[in-house]
Amino acid sequence: MKFIDNKGITDPAINLALEEYVLKNFGEQDTYLLFYVNEPSIIIGRNQNTVEEINTQYVDENGIKVVRRLSGGGAVYHDEGNLNFSFITKDDGNSFQNFAKFTQPMVDALNKLGVPAELKGRNDLTVEGRKISGNAMYSTKGKMFSHGTLMLDSEIENVVSALNVRKEKIESKGIKSIRSRVANISEFLENKITVEQFKEIILQYVFHVDDIIDVPRYELSEEDWGNVHQISRERYQNWEWNYGKSPSFNIQESYKFDAGFVDVRLDVKKGIIENCKIYGDFFGVGEISVIEDKLTGVRHNRQAIEEALAGVDVPHYLGRISKEDFVNLIY
């Protein structure tokens, strides 16, 4: 495993582009660890409806950037008090959805610091029942990354104000508010540390070295960085990618499954599905547009929907959500 230094860049549109570049160009050769800190921003899950996940007025008034990532899962708030990590590696067929494999090094490092962190639920790290880290994954062409947040000293009030949390999610977790279930890691530390010190401690622990100088690294060339900036311009600085146009619809069905929230919008005219859009925080491998396309032009009845999805591996696109449950949701 090798560490890649992002040179202190705090622009989420660059950091996410760096992650994508490493994944697509180095993911099979070795395992890479990437750390980055972003300026105040909301990072949207790949399949989410941006305008419904954020408090647009608060975001605009406070100059918070909104950038969509490649991975599924839910929207998260980043700022300079949050350390993000990403393990980029080969997808061996057993690692996708295995959050314990990639979060355990962070759990162990936190435990060593005296913070009793543990993996709870689908993809969260918690301390005493309060969330300190959210994690997500993405897989493509035999390569994958698992990335997550580590809230060392974030502005909790911004986390609360910048995001819209769905009623279904609150009810399913039995919580009263975001405030009651999130925490900063600093609350559990005897001595305050900076994000940079925190990063160095984790690096030393993960690579089993006494000095960060001894951490094995991969140095990106000027050409590499040029490619990263190109990806950033073409995807992560692109309004269509970050927001996209929401199609008109007249039928909406949504449900919070154990494997994630699914929100299906259908524009049905004269009994035919003319437009289909699927949103959610599920973790699928395939492009959700495949299912959307399969349902477009199909009669809006159960038999036609089942026939359109015949031969489609629905869990490949929606994570651990079965075809039967998906059909029951939309019809």
Side-chain angles (χ1 to χ4, degrees), residues 13-297:
I14 301 294
N15 285 324
L16 291 174
L18 171 59
E19 184 175 57
E20 179 179 347
Y21 178 73
V22 175
L23 172 73
K24 292 184 175 178
N25 292 276
F26 305 105
E28 280 188 3
Q29 300 172 22
D30 203 340
T31 295
Y32 296 87
L33 174 59
L34 180 67
F35 280 116
Y36 53 91
V37 174
N38 286 326
E39 60 197 64
S41 52
I42 294 177
I43 312 301
I44 300 290
R46 182 182 184 92
N47 299 307
Q48 291 189 294
N49 187 345
T50 300
V51 295
E52 293 186 4
E53 297 295 332
I54 65 175
N55 179 340
T56 52
Q57 181 178 349
Y58 186 87
V59 166
D60 291 342
E61 289 176 352
N62 290 274
I64 297 172
K65 289 190 173 182
V66 178
V67 184
R68 187 186 300 278
R69 62 179 186 267
L70 285 177
S71 60
V76 290
Y77 174 79
H78 288 181
D79 63 16
E80 292 88 346
N82 177 74
L83 180 64
N84 304 285
F85 66 91
S86 181
F87 287 100
I88 303 167
T89 189
K90 184 177 182 179
D91 185 355
D92 57 11
N94 299 310
S95 296
F96 196 79
Q97 301 276 9
N98 184 2
F99 286 100
K101 175 178 179 178
F102 298 100
T103 58
Q104 194 60 47
M106 302 304 157
V107 169
D108 293 341
L110 288 166
N111 290 168
K112 191 175 182 182
L113 285 170
V115 179
E118 59 182 337
L119 177 64
K120 281 283 188 178
R122 184 176 55 148
N123 58 326
D124 293 343
L125 297 186
T126 65
V127 178
E128 298 175 0
R130 298 168 69 194
K131 179 178 176 178
I132 60 165
S133 167
N135 295 268
M137 291 182 172
Y138 176 70
S139 175
T140 180
K141 298 179 180 179
K143 295 173 281 188
M144 65 169 288
F145 62 66
S146 180
H147 57 188
T149 60
L150 290 168
M151 289 176 55
L152 177 65
D153 198 17
S154 283
E155 293 290 340
I156 299 294
E157 191 55 45
N158 284 347
V159 177
V160 174
S161 301
L163 298 173
N164 289 330
V165 179
R166 291 180 179 274
K167 179 170 65 72
E168 296 97 323
K169 187 171 289 189
I170 292 175
E171 291 174 347
S172 72
K173 295 194 175 185
I175 57 176
K176 295 180 180 179
S177 69
I178 300 179
R179 288 181 186 85
S180 69
R181 72 181 185 100
V182 299
N184 278 315
I185 293 166
S186 60
E187 296 177 41
F188 306 97
L189 294 172
E190 285 190 17
N191 301 309
K192 297 291 184 182
I193 58 175
T194 66
V195 170
E196 186 62 28
Q197 290 171 327
F198 186 43
K199 182 180 79 174
E200 291 180 0
I201 290 169
I202 294 176
L203 277 174
Q204 288 173 275
Y205 184 85
V206 171
F207 286 96
H208 308 290
V209 297
D210 296 324
D211 194 311
I212 61 167
I213 295 175
D214 299 321
V215 171
R217 299 167 184 257
Y218 178 84
E219 296 291 341
L220 295 173
S221 67
E222 287 189 16
E223 182 182 356
D224 288 329
W225 279 110
N227 292 329
V228 169
H229 282 273
Q230 182 178 350
I231 292 172
S232 177
R233 288 190 300 271
E234 293 177 353
R235 189 193 299 278
Y236 300 102
Q237 297 177 43
N238 187 315
W239 186 91
E240 285 289 341
W241 169 255
N242 292 324
Y243 283 85
K245 294 180 180 178
S246 298
S248 60
F249 65 93
N250 52 30
I251 295 176
Q252 177 181 4
E253 301 291 349
S254 62
Y255 188 75
K256 178 70 174 68
F257 296 95
D258 289 342
F261 180 77
V262 179
D263 175 8
V264 183
R265 314 286 177 96
L266 302 175
D267 185 23
V268 179
K269 294 179 181 177
K270 296 182 179 179
I272 303 296
I273 301 172
E274 292 194 349
N275 214 333
C276 172
K277 190 67 180 174
I278 302 171
Y279 299 108
D281 62 1
F282 46 85
F283 292 108
V285 177
E287 295 286 347
I288 197 63
S289 59
V290 171
I291 292 182
E292 293 170 343
D293 291 344
K294 288 283 186 182
L295 294 176
T296 301

Side-chain angles (χ1 to χ4, degrees), residues 313-326:
D313 181 6
V314 171
H316 178 71
Y317 303 95
L318 293 174
R320 293 169 181 166
I321 297 170
S322 70
K323 183 185 298 185
E324 182 181 5
D325 284 342
F326 178 66

